[in-house]
Amino acid sequence: MELLLPALGYFVWTLVAFLIVFFILKKFAWKPIISSLSEREKNIADSIATAEKVKLEMAQMKSENEALMAKAREERSQLLKEAKELKDKIVNEAKEQAKIEAGKIMADAQASIEQQKNAALTEVKNVIGNMVIEVTEKVIRRELASKSEQESYIRNLANELSTTSRN
């Protein structure tokens, strides 16, 4: 039992030592410890407040970034739409210009064909006229006694001219 209960002398001296240490600590160490703890508590509270402020700023920046991204997407789609419209306009203008040019070429070709046709007809008329003149000239040079010989001679000359003109 003696081991379980301390002796009265140990108890008193332990109590005196405790009170001396308590008063020394209270006198010299308690204020710096309390001030450092309160300063640390203040720093932690300031850090938490700063973290909350940064968190709010980050949320605001995120929403601003999303708004900017949406605006950029809208501008991109607008630019693509304008580019497509410009491309379509240029293509249509090129088609119209090509149609105009094709029309001019066709008109020029038709005019050239008509001119060549008229030249060919004129040449054929000239050849026929020359042939008629030749036949007439030969008929006049030859004086024939009878009308039947004259007609026969004209047919022969016509046949000769037609065979020579075919060749």
Side-chain angles (χ1 to χ4, degrees):
M1 189 76 154
E2 283 182 26
L3 290 174
L4 293 177
L5 293 175
L8 186 58
Y10 287 133
F11 181 70
V12 171
W13 285 111
T14 304
L15 183 63
V16 169
F18 176 74
L19 290 175
I20 292 173
V21 170
F22 179 73
F23 287 120
I24 291 174
L25 286 175
K26 185 178 178 187
K27 181 78 175 170
F28 297 109
W30 197 257
K31 286 181 184 178
I33 290 173
I34 296 292
S35 67
S36 68
L37 284 177
S38 66
E39 185 178 320
R40 184 170 179 195
E41 183 180 335
K42 181 182 175 190
N43 285 341
I44 290 172
D46 288 345
S47 296
I48 289 173
T50 304
E52 287 294 324
K53 184 179 178 184
V54 168
K55 184 179 176 182
L56 289 174
E57 287 176 0
M58 290 298 288
Q60 182 181 3
M61 288 176 74
K62 183 179 178 183
S63 66
E64 288 174 1
N65 284 343
E66 288 175 358
L68 286 173
M69 289 295 289
K71 184 177 179 183
R73 283 187 199 107
E74 183 179 323
E75 287 177 3
R76 182 193 69 186
S77 66
Q78 183 67 27
L79 286 174
L80 288 174
K81 180 181 175 186
E82 289 174 3
K84 184 176 185 221
E85 289 173 356
L86 182 61
K87 177 196 77 151
D88 291 341
K89 180 181 175 186
I90 290 171
V91 166
N92 289 336
E93 287 176 359
K95 284 181 183 178
E96 290 298 320
Q97 189 67 26
K99 285 180 184 177
I100 291 169
E101 290 296 322
K104 286 180 183 178
I105 290 171
M106 290 294 290
D108 290 345
Q110 286 179 348
S112 176
I113 289 170
E114 190 67 29
Q115 187 179 24
Q116 289 175 0
K117 178 182 159 187
N118 289 337
L121 285 174
T122 303
E123 186 177 334
V124 167
K125 287 178 184 177
N126 288 338
V127 168
I128 290 173
N130 287 337
M131 288 169 49
V132 167
I133 290 172
E134 281 180 35
V135 168
T136 308
E137 186 179 302
K138 287 182 182 181
V139 168
I140 291 175
R141 281 189 190 163
R142 187 170 180 197
E143 293 182 11
L144 298 175
S146 74
K147 190 173 183 179
S148 64
E149 286 180 5
Q150 197 174 18
E151 288 178 2
S152 165
Y153 184 65
I154 291 173
R155 280 191 205 111
N156 285 338
L157 287 176
N159 286 336
E160 285 177 16
L161 288 176
S162 66
T163 53
T164 57
S165 65
R166 288 184 192 158
N167 292 334

